[in-house]
Amino acid sequence: MTPLTEHPGYPEDPASPDSPAPAIRIVIADDETLIREALEAILSLQADIDVVAVAASGTEAIVQIERHRPDVAVLDLLMPGADGIEVAAAISDSSRSSHSSQRTLQETKCLILTSHARPGYLKRALAAGVRGFVPKTTPAARLTEIIRRLHAGQRYVDPELSAEAIAAGDTSGLATCETVV
């Protein structure tokens, strides 16, 4: 992990039009070591992504997110301590109570990456402020695109998961454009 100020793509003067945009700062949280390390390795290969921290539990993820204030947090759904949805909710609650002039936690976009995709989880995730929800079967190249979309302020819900939620009659957390898949 490279500190932000030492990242090769980080501009000395953010106002300079010739400077490249700063890298998207990422925190990864997954209790499975292989998955966590593979995500870190894959995402670190991207020139515009900087993995600033990793966590093996939800409680550790909250600490790392509060410490590093990343642009995007990639969170496993089911982890010890706090699940990914509880982490997203904690970030949202923490940013509401913080009046700091620093970058707020609310600016961290949460992406749930899971092998336990059920419509009820999707509804809870969206209600907690999660901006992305995808299965662990998502190809690596697609995952990096989704991270970039979230960083740009967009939302992404896997179309199959969205369709399953609609079929189950659970569309309360989906915007109109997300229910038309």
Side-chain angles (χ1 to χ4, degrees):
M1 290 176 284
T2 307
L4 180 61
T5 55
E6 294 177 14
H7 191 281
Y10 192 78
E12 292 298 320
D13 177 10
S16 171
D18 298 330
S19 299
I24 302 168
R25 297 168 40 83
I26 305 286
V27 167
I28 299 168
D30 197 303
D31 60 322
E32 296 179 42
T33 304
L34 178 63
I35 301 297
R36 186 176 61 249
E37 290 178 355
L39 283 170
E40 181 180 17
I42 290 166
L43 294 175
S44 293
L45 293 173
Q46 303 298 310
D48 63 336
I49 293 177
D50 187 15
V51 178
V52 296
V54 295
S57 70
T59 49
E60 185 182 350
I62 294 168
V63 170
Q64 295 296 348
I65 292 166
E66 288 175 345
R67 178 178 298 140
H68 295 282
R69 301 189 186 272
D71 299 305
V72 178
V74 179
L75 308 168
D76 185 18
L77 176 62
L78 300 178
M79 296 182 285
D83 68 26
I85 297 170
E86 292 167 336
V87 172
I91 292 167
S92 182
D93 291 345
S94 177
S95 64
R96 281 190 206 113
S97 63
S98 173
H99 294 73
S100 173
S101 61
Q102 291 181 333
R103 173 187 179 85
T104 67
L105 291 177
Q106 198 164 24
E107 293 173 13
T108 298
K109 281 54 167 206
C110 292
L111 169 63
I112 299 288
L113 186 62
T114 186
S115 56
H116 305 281
R118 293 184 188 91
Y121 287 136
L122 176 57
K123 179 181 178 179
R124 281 184 51 225
L126 295 173
V130 167
R131 303 295 297 167
F133 198 94
V134 297
K136 286 186 176 177
T137 56
T138 302
R142 185 74 182 127
L143 180 62
T144 57
E145 291 172 20
I146 293 166
I147 288 170
R148 291 179 184 111
R149 287 177 68 171
L150 267 60
H151 181 253
Q154 298 175 17
R155 178 183 291 201
Y156 183 86
V157 175
D158 179 78
E160 288 184 34
L161 299 180
S162 185
E164 288 175 22
I166 292 167
D170 188 6
T171 60
S172 59
L174 299 174
T176 304
C177 64
E178 290 170 321
T179 58
V180 180
V181 179

